[in-house]
Amino acid sequence: MPPTPILTPSQLNFDNLIAGPEQIEQANPHRHEFRLLDGVALFDPERSVCAGFHNVRNDEFWVRGHIPERPLFPGVLMIETAAQLASYAHHQLFANTDSNSFLGFLGVDAAKFRGIVQPPARFVVLAQGKIMKPRRMVCYTQGFVDDTMVFEGEITGMTF
């Protein structure tokens, strides 16, 4: 049985984003086909909660080979999308700490894949900070299609 959602994705307003691709690229270094975070709909620093999404499209680089005739959004890209959301949240909290720092991905723990994501779909990612410090971050993350949880895991990062 999946855990309780950090929040219910259907309650998010995706028509009034707090960050689109340009704002995300100011916080995260990812570019081109590896910028997976398409938008951020919520950032609540008091609850340490952030919500964003990736629009899973039929023309993405992985579709042709993973899996032909039945493309499945790879689990590693679910993790990467969650890590990019966690990085965005960390940057929002600590942007003025050290402008030259880079938040690197250190690991993922307790990852579970609970469903599949097939294009076209909106993959909604939620992150809740467990440890949010200038040099270290640990976020519990969840991924959804509609209100169905398809992924969960704990992302750890550190600034370099």
Side-chain angles (χ1 to χ4, degrees), residues 104-126:
F105 178 61
L106 290 183
V108 61
D109 293 302
K112 290 188 176 78
F113 300 98
R114 301 182 170 279
I116 61 172
V117 181
Q118 291 183 277
R122 176 167 280 169
F123 178 62
V124 175
V125 182
L126 309 176

Side-chain angles (χ1 to χ4, degrees), residues 69-89:
E69 307 303 319
R70 186 178 182 195
L72 302 174
F73 189 47
V76 69
L77 296 181
M78 291 184 204
I79 293 169
E80 178 63 27
T81 305
Q84 288 182 24
L85 180 66
S87 175
Y88 174 86

Side-chain angles (χ1 to χ4, degrees), residues 16-49:
N16 190 20
L17 299 178
I18 62 169
E22 291 178 7
Q23 293 85 12
I24 293 167
E25 287 184 1
Q26 290 173 6
N28 290 352
H30 308 84
R31 298 293 185 269
H32 312 295
E33 57 275 323
F34 231 76
R35 184 190 42 77
L36 296 175
L37 190 60
D38 291 327
V40 177
L42 172 74
F43 176 65
D44 182 347
E46 291 182 16
R47 291 188 309 156
S48 195
V49 172

Side-chain angles (χ1 to χ4, degrees), residues 105 107-111 130 138-141 151-156:
F105 178 61
V108 61
D109 293 302
K130 293 174 68 177
V138 178
C139 283
Y140 174 62
T141 63
F151 159 78
E152 66 174 305
E154 190 174 276
I155 305 290
T156 302

Side-chain angles (χ1 to χ4, degrees), residues 90 103-107 135-139 155-160:
H90 185 271
L103 182 69
F105 178 61
L106 290 183
R135 289 215 6 98
R136 186 167 181 261
M137 170 217 68
V138 178
C139 283
I155 305 290
T156 302
M158 180 170 273
T159 58
F160 297 95

